[in-house]
Amino acid sequence: MLKVFNTVSLKKEEFVPINPGKVMMYVCGPTVYNYIHIGNARSSIAFDTIRRYLTYRGYDVNFVSNFTDVDDKIINRAQEEAVSEQEIAEKYIKAFYDDTLPLNILPATTRTKATDVIPDIIAFISDLVDKGYAYESHGDVYFRVRKSKDYGLLAHEAIDDLEVGASGRLDEHALELKEDPLDFALWKNEPRSVIKWDSPWGQGRPGWHIECSVMSTKYLADTIDIHGGGIDLVFPHHTDEIAQSEAHTGKQFVHYWLHNGFVNVNDEKMSKSLGNFTTVRDLLNSYDDPMTIRYLMAATHYRRPINYSTAELARSRVELDRIRTAYRRLQKADKTAGKDSVIEKKLSKSVADFITAMDDDFNVANALAAIFDLVKLTNSYVDSADIKDQTAANILKQLSQLMSVLGISGLGNDTILPKKIQDLLAQRKTARANKDWSQSDELRDQIAESGYEVRDDSNGQQVHKI
Ligand SMILES: [Zn+2]
């Protein structure tokens, strides 16, 4: 039985989808004004892993996400670079796809830009105004927070405690326009913005929170199964999404709220001011194995903080290489026809342990323990006298399937080795085929100088990072 930790109840709850066998899932996407940083990647990987596991468990997952392409940050960036807001958004949407593809983040079933749903946003806001939940003020439209019941439930804060926090962030001008400091903007009269739309309240642009409510109801349903995002989105973003959506539809907005933890860099919070702000692009350019980056992110439970450092990356590489090495050893081992029922039974146990772990709010640490049991089994099977082809094929299939739930692909693929090492190995293979042992030894030393150890066994050259 799958259980998920719901931020509303602060408990693990049995996951029961609205439509049997189907999952409607919405995850807040990035504001496209810059290259994504490793915090964005962490959130994308956390929910991609959850999505992959739901799919693995047989659910048909409809995964919707957004690009926030109209926002103060985009307006500022466009003015800095003297280009249009649309150009900024297009550039960074392309960059998002370029940067998430190597990390094996699956494309959303539907991913839309805020600017694609402006008529829907205007209709949604108009309905809130008609129902008395929202009001116009000098071309802005605000949501009347005190009219909403259970506001602050998700954040586990009393409304007046939230108000103190909110008013601290508000400028004087916005405060003058609002009936209550806690009210939030649904529509903004934004003279600085190049892109603006006609609306019943004059020309302007939508606020941030409204786009997610609109997309979630438009592309999924009034009530959906899972809504996800970073823990920093609980208030105000998700709190406001609930208020406006439930005011609009009169129904519960989301059954399960899931939030991922932060990324720390060298045990410090990642921030621009600390100078430890790492973009995914820089990381991918400076590190040769994107699957290790994915592994580092996916191997930490989604609710826990991730500590990113080069030491953690190196540790992840060692772990992932253990899995890859076992996989390749079995792949290359000599086999005889048949099946080994004792090994098959142990294999089934590892798979069952993996499922039990992931069913417990996606407990990836325990899931990896099951995978490493399977790695141990694989290695001891390779060392045994008689390897059966059907059992070997089953192990390889299961290992690759379980790793692909974590978003790791290409276990049997040698190309993750740096190009230089691959070239040296190819030369060494030729030298050995020609029985040129001194050349072979020289190449082995060169490989060692680059940080890899090569050994020869019946399956050929086995390479390990030193
Ligand atoms: Zn959102």
Side-chain angles (χ1 to χ4, degrees):
M1 177 176 63
L2 174 60
K3 284 188 165 186
V4 300
F5 184 90
N6 191 344
T7 310
V8 176
S9 64
L10 298 178
K11 284 194 182 101
K12 287 179 196 169
E13 297 175 9
E14 185 186 350
F15 179 73
V16 183
I18 295 162
N19 303 311
K22 293 187 173 171
V23 177
M24 292 180 280
M25 180 170 178
Y26 185 95
V27 176
C28 293
T31 302
V32 280
Y33 75 107
N34 206 341
Y35 294 112
I36 57 164
H37 54 73
I38 54 175
N40 301 126
R42 197 272 155 101
S43 184
S44 295
I45 288 172
F47 289 103
D48 184 66
T49 305
I50 289 172
R51 173 196 189 174
R52 283 168 177 270
Y53 183 65
L54 292 167
T55 307
Y56 174 77
R57 291 289 266 140
Y59 291 107
D60 177 8
V61 184
N62 191 351
F63 186 103
V64 177
S65 189
N66 65 311
F67 284 126
T68 300
D69 64 338
V70 52
D71 179 270
D72 284 340
K73 294 190 197 96
I74 294 173
I75 298 171
N76 294 341
R77 188 84 189 211
Q79 288 178 347
E80 275 164 34
E81 294 191 15
V83 294
S84 71
E85 291 150 25
Q86 205 179 347
E87 279 173 85
I88 292 291
E90 275 169 16
K91 175 179 169 183
Y92 292 110
I93 285 172
K94 187 183 174 300
F96 174 88
Y97 286 117
D98 290 347
D99 294 347
T100 52
L101 190 70
L103 298 177
N104 253 357
I105 296 166
L106 296 168
T109 317
T110 305
R111 190 183 286 273
T112 338
K113 297 180 288 188
T115 57
D116 288 337
V117 292
I118 298 293
D120 305 278
I121 289 175
I122 291 173
F124 197 118
I125 298 173
S126 298
D127 176 67
L128 291 174
V129 173
D130 291 347
K131 287 182 171 144
Y133 280 101
Y135 57 94
E136 190 262 343
S137 175
H138 295 85
D140 287 359
V141 181
Y142 292 99
F143 186 87
R144 223 169 239 133
V145 162
R146 287 193 185 274
K147 207 172 153 41
S148 153
K149 70 172 172 67
D150 298 335
Y151 189 82
L153 196 71
L154 182 71
H156 300 279
E157 293 273 7
I159 190 162
D160 291 310
D161 293 335
L162 290 169
E163 186 175 6
V164 173
S167 57
R169 284 200 296 272
L170 285 173
D171 63 53
E172 289 300 313
H173 174 68
L175 270 178
E176 275 170 28
L177 298 178
K178 295 181 181 190
E179 290 176 2
D180 187 296
L182 201 55
D183 292 351
F184 59 89
L186 298 164
W187 187 262
K188 289 180 182 179
N189 167 20
E190 178 53 84
R192 290 186 315 139
S193 181
V194 176
I195 347 173
K196 46 193 152 202
W197 294 265
D198 289 329
S199 80
W201 321 285
Q203 283 201 325
R205 65 168 179 93
W208 171 36
H209 314 306
I210 192 72
E211 68 184 82
C212 291
S213 286
V214 167
M215 288 184 199
S216 182
T217 48
K218 179 180 166 88
Y219 296 106
L220 292 168
D222 289 350
T223 305
I224 66 165
D225 298 300
I226 295 174
H227 191 119
I231 190 77
D232 53 322
L233 297 184
V234 168
F235 180 79
H237 187 55
H238 289 163
T239 298
D240 292 348
E241 279 187 42
I242 296 171
Q244 66 204 4
S245 301
E246 298 189 353
H248 173 60
T249 65
K251 298 174 199 159
Q252 186 180 356
F253 179 42
V254 171
H255 282 177
Y256 306 95
W257 283 93
L258 272 57
H259 292 98
N260 67 273
F262 291 121
V263 175
N264 295 323
V265 177
N266 298 317
D267 291 318
E268 283 184 316
K269 193 171 187 294
M270 187 174 64
S271 76
K272 276 187 179 148
S273 55
L274 286 172
N276 61 5
F277 206 76
T278 309
T279 66
V280 171
R281 182 155 294 218
D282 286 345
L283 188 54
L284 287 169
N285 284 336
S286 64
Y287 193 71
D288 63 340
D289 185 14
M291 283 299 94
T292 291
I293 303 171
R294 169 89 196 202
Y295 182 90
L296 188 157
M297 302 262 177
T300 301
H301 188 264
Y302 75 96
R303 285 191 282 123
R304 290 182 191 280
I306 285 183
N307 185 37
Y308 170 76
S309 65
T310 48
E312 278 299 308
L313 203 55
R315 196 187 55 77
S316 300
R317 178 84 165 236
V318 169
E319 283 187 15
L320 180 53
D321 279 347
R322 270 179 64 202
I323 302 168
R324 287 163 163 164
T325 305
Y327 185 93
R328 287 176 210 155
R329 285 186 72 212
L330 181 57
Q331 208 177 25
K332 290 173 186 163
D334 294 327
K335 297 155 192 106
T336 55
K339 216 170 173 175
D340 184 325
S341 60
V342 176
I343 297 290
E344 296 267 352
K345 217 171 153 187
K346 289 181 179 168
L347 168 63
S348 301
K349 166 134 191 357
S350 289
V351 174
D353 288 348
F354 177 91
I355 292 171
T356 304
M358 290 297 277
D359 269 359
D360 178 20
D361 190 37
F362 316 101
N363 188 328
V364 78
N366 290 349
L368 276 166
I371 286 176
F372 279 104
D373 280 346
L374 183 49
V375 165
K376 220 190 265 175
L377 175 74
T378 306
N379 281 326
S380 68
Y381 193 40
V382 172
D383 294 336
S384 73
D386 189 12
I387 304 168
K388 299 295 181 196
D389 60 352
Q390 287 177 38
T391 299
N394 274 339
I395 292 175
L396 293 173
K397 186 177 146 211
Q398 292 293 349
L399 194 51
S400 128
Q401 261 185 6
L402 300 187
M403 289 306 286
S404 112
V405 169
L406 305 182
I408 308 292
S409 60
L411 292 180
N413 188 352
D414 282 333
T415 56
I416 59 114
L417 290 168
K419 176 92 177 60
K420 184 183 160 196
I421 302 294
Q422 291 176 46
D423 290 347
L424 292 171
L425 286 168
Q427 289 173 37
R428 188 168 176 275
K429 197 174 171 187
T430 312
R432 291 180 70 78
N434 296 333
K435 300 197 187 309
D436 185 347
W437 309 119
S438 70
Q439 171 75 353
S440 164
D441 288 350
E442 196 182 303
L443 286 160
R444 186 188 60 203
D445 294 344
Q446 280 184 43
I447 291 166
E449 275 162 28
S450 301
Y452 289 84
E453 183 190 37
V454 59
R455 282 194 220 133
D456 305 284
D457 67 17
S458 55
N459 300 314
Q461 305 183 99
Q462 301 299 327
V463 191
H464 304 273
K465 204 157 188 328
I466 298 170

